[in-house]
């Protein structure tokens, strides 16, 4: 393509007064500069004809320079483009410098984003008969900007819609971005989510809500705590950690560090997941307990079968003995044997019902009588072993509803458990083994307490002692069934059983049974 002729040198500001060789050299230099410029440049006369175009302009127009010069602008760019640009050319002819940019549709080049500068062009005589038009094609840059903005908009929409928290902290310890999920998760006000917020402001907000870490001293000055936390966060290595908030919420924090030191943090609320895991563990534990109780039921069914046959003989013989001894000094003893045989039968049936978790009978029960029945044999055995045995049973206890035989069995088991604990205790000077059975009325329940001054139960075993087949006794001396059945009976009556520590040593097994509404 041939060089573009410039307008009359006398019209150029740098032309010499005589239009001599110096002016020609300046014109040639200017033409070379304009032809090498990455922008499109043209000079348009008042009647809208091209009087100069540089090489970049001609290449964009896809026409030779000679063809463009003298052509009307409308003929080159079309009526629509010319009509849009002409008003700005008029302002340049009036002496204004006009800068505009925007999208425009060219007939040959399609849609482009252009930055235009309209500059007045003065002749030597001072007349403004033309204007210079500089055009920079920013299409690629604008497309990248629009794509980046679209990506940012999409990212903002995603971050605002997710429940997880996200924030980005720059190397200067200032917020770059925080989504609503992060602000909600920690209860931060919306204004803290503004870009540029210092990380220290978030920490101050938490400190003023008394959200201290376990190792932090509440008496330490606030700003010292803030500076230490900011330093900890900004130097924290990438990875995961969990935080339990004061309200019990469990949050998992994942941190990534970019090469420039920027931190990308994501926060997930694990509370529901942890609750679900606990529920699954509880379900598995309940299943195991049910399996163990089923094994107990099978065991007791076999035991009941083996015991019931000789027990029936004992019961029959005791009845005959009571009849024959009637009116003799042995009558009272024979009657006690008969009653004991009948109670043995009821205890076997009660054990079997408890192990199978059958609902107890719902009859009005005199708890004083049920406890007395349970103590009938066990208390005497305890006294024979040298154990001091005491009861504290008030006469005006309210009645409850339940199964008297099961409750008597519960009392017998608790006393037997206390007696076994004392039997394994080494004697100490001035120490005497003691068991206390106490009943007392509460506002909504009746409490049964069986306490001993033995070695006690370690805290880590106070729940396990109620597990089926768990025992602390030596091999061959315990089955681990008694306390498990006690809990089963207590729960079947709508109550509870627990272990309480006694000051000075020993343990108390406490049963609470609800009073009728």
């Amino acid at each position: 393509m041939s060089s573009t002729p410039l307008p009359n040198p006398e019209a150029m500001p740098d032309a010499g007064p005589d239009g001599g060789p110096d002016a020609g050299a300046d014109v040639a230099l200017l033409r070379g500069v304009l032809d090498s410029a990455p922008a499109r440049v043209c000079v348009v006369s008042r009647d809208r004809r091209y009087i100069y175009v540089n090489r970049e302009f001609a290449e964009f127009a896809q026409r030779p320079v000679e063809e463009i010069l003298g052509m009307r602008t409308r003929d080159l760019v079309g009526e629509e483009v010319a009509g849009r640009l002409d008003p700005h050319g008029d302002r340049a002819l009036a002496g204004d410098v006009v800068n505009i940019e925007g999208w425009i549709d060219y007939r040959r080049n399609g849609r482009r984003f252009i930055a235009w500068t309209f500059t007045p062009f003065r002749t030597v005589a001072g007349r403004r008969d033309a204007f210079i038009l500089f055009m920079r094609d920013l299409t690629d840059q604008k497309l990248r900007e629009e794509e980046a903005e679209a990506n940012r908009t999409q990212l903002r929409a995603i971050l605002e819609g997710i429940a997880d928290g996200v924030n980005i902290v720059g190397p200067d310890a200032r917020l770059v971005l925080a989504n609503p999920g992060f602000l909600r998760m920690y209860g931060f006000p919306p204004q803290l989510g503004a870009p540029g917020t210092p990380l220290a402001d978030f920490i101050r907000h938490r400190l003023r809500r008394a959200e201290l870490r376990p190792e932090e001293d509440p008496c330490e000055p606030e700003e010292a705590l803030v500076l230490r936390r900011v330093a900890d966060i900004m130097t924290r290595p990438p990875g995961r950690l969990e935080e339990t908030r004061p309200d019990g919420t469990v949050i998992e924090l994942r941190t990534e560090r970019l090469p420039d030191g920027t931190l990308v943090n994501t926060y997930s609320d694990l509370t529901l997941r942890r609750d679900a895991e606990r529920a699954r563990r509880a379900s598995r534990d309940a299943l195991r307990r049910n399996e163990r109780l089923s094994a107990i039921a099978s065991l007791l069914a076999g035991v009941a079968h083996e015991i019931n046959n000789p027990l029936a003989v004992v019961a029959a013989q005791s009845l005959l003995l009571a009849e024959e001894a009637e009116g003799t000094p042995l009558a009272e003893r024979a009657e006690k044997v008969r009653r004991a045989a009948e109670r043995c039968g009821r205890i076997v049936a009660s054990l079997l019902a408890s192990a199978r978790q059958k609902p107890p009978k719902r009859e009005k029960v005199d708890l004083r009588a049920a406890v007395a029945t349970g103590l009938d044999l066990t208390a005497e055995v305890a006294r024979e072993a040298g154990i001091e045995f005491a009861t504290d049973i008030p006469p005006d206890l309210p009645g409850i509803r339940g199964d008297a035989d099961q409750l008597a069995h519960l009392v017998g088991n608790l006393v037997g458990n206390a007696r076994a604990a004392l039997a394994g205790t080494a004697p100490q000077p001035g120490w005497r083994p003691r068991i206390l059975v106490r009943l007392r009325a509460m506002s909504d329940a009746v409490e049964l307490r069986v306490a001993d001054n033995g070695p006690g139960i370690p805290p880590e075993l106070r729940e396990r002692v109620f597990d089926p087949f768990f025992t602390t006794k030596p091999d061959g001396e315990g089955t681990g069934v008694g306390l498990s059945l006690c809990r089963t009976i207590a729960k079947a009556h709508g109550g509870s059983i627990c272990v309480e520590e006694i000051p000075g040593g020993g343990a108390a097994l406490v049963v609470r049974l609800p009073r009728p509404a």
Side-chain angles (χ1 to χ4, degrees), residues 381-403:
V381 174
R383 291 189 183 97
E384 290 175 358
I387 299 173
E388 293 183 2
F389 195 88
T391 60
D392 181 4
I393 303 176
D396 55 349
L397 277 175
I400 65 169
R401 299 191 67 82
D403 189 317

Side-chain angles (χ1 to χ4, degrees), residues 146-294:
E146 290 183 348
E147 181 180 4
E149 180 58 30
N151 290 338
R152 284 193 293 270
T153 301
Q154 185 179 28
L155 177 61
R156 281 194 295 268
I158 293 172
L159 292 179
E160 289 178 2
I162 63 175
D164 283 0
V166 179
N167 69 40
I168 300 174
V169 180
D172 59 352
R174 289 181 175 273
L175 188 70
V176 177
L177 175 149
N179 76 329
F182 166 71
L183 300 176
R184 284 194 303 269
M185 197 173 289
Y186 282 90
F188 291 129
Q191 59 268 26
L192 280 184
T197 300
L199 183 59
D201 287 358
F202 291 92
I203 298 171
R204 290 190 190 95
H205 192 275
R206 295 192 67 179
L207 290 175
R208 289 165 189 173
R209 293 186 303 191
E211 293 186 19
L212 290 168
R213 294 174 177 174
E215 71 276 8
E216 290 177 335
D217 182 359
C219 298
E220 188 174 359
E222 180 182 280
E223 285 308 305
L225 292 171
V226 170
L227 291 175
R228 187 178 302 113
R229 280 210 205 178
V230 169
D232 288 347
I233 292 171
M234 296 308 297
T235 58
R236 183 168 56 209
R240 301 186 179 197
L241 59 88
E242 285 189 11
E243 174 189 3
T244 301
R245 291 184 38 74
D247 61 359
T249 303
V250 180
I251 295 176
E252 181 188 60
L253 165 62
R254 298 183 296 277
T255 298
E256 295 292 338
R257 185 180 297 276
L258 302 183
D260 66 350
T262 297
L263 298 178
V264 179
N265 302 305
T266 57
Y267 304 80
S268 300
D269 189 338
L270 302 184
T271 309
L272 293 178
R273 190 186 308 173
R274 292 289 181 267
D275 290 344
E277 290 172 357
R278 283 193 291 269
R280 284 195 296 272
R281 285 196 297 270
S283 178
R284 288 195 297 268
D285 292 344
L287 180 60
R288 282 194 289 267
R289 283 195 297 271
N290 287 336
E291 291 173 348
R292 289 176 179 178
L293 288 174
S294 296

Side-chain angles (χ1 to χ4, degrees), residues 9 12 39 72 96 105 109 123 173 201 213 299 302 397 408 467 492:
M12 302 300 293
R72 295 172 67 248
D96 294 336
D105 293 314
N109 304 91
T123 62
D201 287 358
R213 294 174 177 174
L299 174 64
L397 277 175
D467 289 346

